[in-house]
């Protein structure tokens, strides 16, 4: 991949990692709204997955980032697994499905009162999800961070 395209994918990856770091920090602070933490986590994961696709074939995937992928974490994860030759573990797939149901419809940003009553942020546990995402981040680190 040409240097400029790699750098664009790499920057998207670093931006995604910053969202993930922000989510971890906010979650550890135990302040504020749990929906914000989950939105930051979802946003970070979306950017990391898109960066991985761009790294594989920038010209193919760049036009697809908005449609058909958009904010659909399940579609993105399935495509990343396919192109990198990895299987999505069942528990991670379940976590993504639950998170994705809210994220792709922007409910973490614009939660309605009834949704927050029936589906409080705590219904989307992120500690285990964060641990399960470490494999994705390890793969991405190998792709985007050059060895020293």
């Amino acid at each position: 991949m040409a240097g400029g395209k790699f750098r664009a994918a790499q920057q998207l990856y670093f931006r995604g990692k910053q969202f993930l770091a922000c989510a971890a920090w906010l979650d550890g602070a135990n302040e504020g709204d749990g929906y914000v933490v989950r939105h930051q986590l979802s946003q970070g994961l979306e950017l990391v997955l898109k960066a991985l696709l761009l790294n594989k074939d920038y010209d193919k995937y760049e036009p697809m980032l908005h449609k058909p992928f958009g904010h659909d974490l399940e579609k993105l994860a399935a495509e990343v697994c396919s192109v990198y030759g990895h299987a999505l573990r069942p528990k991670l797939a379940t976590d993504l499905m639950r998170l994705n149901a809210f994220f792709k419809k922007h409910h973490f940003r614009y939660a309605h009162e009834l949704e927050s009553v029936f589906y409080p942020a705590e219904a989307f546990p992120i500690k285990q999800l964060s641990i399960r995402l470490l494999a994705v981040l390890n793969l991405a680190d190998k792709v985007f961070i050059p060895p020293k």
Side-chain angles (χ1 to χ4, degrees), residues 5 11-13 15 29 31 43 48-49 59-60 65-66 71 76-79 83 85 87 89 103 106 115 123 145 147:
K5 291 178 181 178
Q11 288 305 308
L12 191 63
Y13 170 66
R15 193 174 308 139
E31 296 175 9
Q43 186 71 48
V48 167
L49 293 171
D59 294 328
K60 174 182 177 182
L65 295 184
H66 296 289
H71 300 294
L76 285 164
E79 188 70 15
V83 299
R89 295 185 176 170
F103 179 66
H106 308 284
E115 288 170 339
I145 299 174

Side-chain angles (χ1 to χ4, degrees), residues 59-133:
D59 294 328
K60 174 182 177 182
Y61 287 111
E62 196 280 329
M64 299 171 69
L65 295 184
H66 296 289
K67 287 187 180 180
F69 295 119
H71 300 294
D72 194 323
L73 299 176
E74 289 177 282
K75 283 183 184 176
L76 285 164
E79 188 70 15
V80 167
C81 286
S82 174
V83 299
Y84 281 88
H86 294 281
L88 190 60
R89 295 185 176 170
K91 288 183 180 182
L92 179 55
T94 299
D95 288 345
L96 281 179
M97 180 185 69
R98 294 178 69 212
L99 200 64
N100 196 45
F102 266 54
F103 179 66
K104 72 180 180 180
K105 294 180 182 175
H106 308 284
H107 290 309
F108 286 135
R109 286 192 292 174
Y110 309 111
H112 302 287
E113 288 179 28
L114 284 178
E115 288 170 339
S116 61
V117 170
F118 291 110
Y119 300 103
E122 296 75 27
F124 304 94
I126 62 170
K127 294 276 189 230
Q128 288 301 316
L129 174 60
S130 298
I131 292 168
R132 291 180 185 120
L133 289 176

Side-chain angles (χ1 to χ4, degrees), residues 1 7 19 36-37 39 97 115 117 122 144:
M1 178 168 36
R7 281 192 292 281
F19 274 107
V36 173
V37 172
H39 175 74
M97 180 185 69
E115 288 170 339
V117 170
E122 296 75 27
F144 293 112

